[in-house]
């Protein structure tokens, strides 16, 4: 599995609300993005967010990255501070007691 991890700055609660509503209303990812899942982590105090998109292969991740790079900045949670294209080496869920 692979993950595209993007850190945003200048994020507002209002913008997160807009993004969340748009994603929840969508039938799936944008055209050209073959993702298996997403996560959006937000630190309202710092005005930052981390978006993680998951992909079955490195090629699918890179293809999606090209689509995301073409997105209008108004469609993102804030200003892109960094983008990492990663291979997921460990994923573990911990059971509850």
């Amino acid at each position: 599995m692979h993950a595209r991890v993007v850190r945003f700055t200048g994020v507002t609660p209002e913008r997160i609300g807009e993004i969340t509503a748009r994603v929840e209303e969508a039938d799936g990812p944008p055209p050209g993005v073959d993702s298996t899942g997403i996560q959006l982590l937000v630190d309202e105090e710092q005005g930052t967010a981390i978006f993680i998109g998951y992909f079955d292969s490195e090629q699918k991740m890179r293809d999606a990255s090209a689509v995301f790079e073409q997105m209008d900045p108004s469609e993102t949670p804030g200003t892109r501070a960094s983008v990492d294209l990663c291979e997921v080496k460990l994923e573990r869920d911990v059971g509850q007691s």
Side-chain angles (χ1 to χ4, degrees):
M1 178 173 17
H2 289 77
R4 182 176 188 270
V5 182
V6 185
R7 183 171 186 278
F8 294 95
T9 59
V11 175
T12 65
E14 296 80 20
R15 189 67 188 128
I16 292 301
E18 293 168 5
I19 296 285
T20 301
R22 190 172 72 219
V23 169
E24 289 174 346
E25 290 173 1
D27 290 334
V33 176
D34 191 3
S35 174
T36 60
I38 62 170
Q39 287 185 313
L40 179 60
L41 303 106
V42 179
D43 183 333
E44 287 187 12
E45 278 188 33
Q46 292 192 92
T48 59
I50 297 172
F51 177 86
I52 307 171
Y54 295 99
F55 302 89
D56 285 335
S57 70
E58 181 179 2
Q59 188 58 53
K60 288 180 180 180
M61 176 184 62
R62 292 190 182 282
D63 292 346
S65 191
V67 172
F68 288 131
E69 291 299 324
Q70 299 302 315
M71 286 180 79
D72 186 304
S74 69
E75 297 182 51
T76 66
T79 303
R80 268 188 210 121
S82 65
V83 178
D84 295 305
L85 303 180
C86 308
E87 182 178 3
V88 177
K89 293 290 188 177
L90 177 66
E91 181 178 18
R92 181 175 175 184
D93 291 329
V94 178
Q96 295 183 18
S97 303

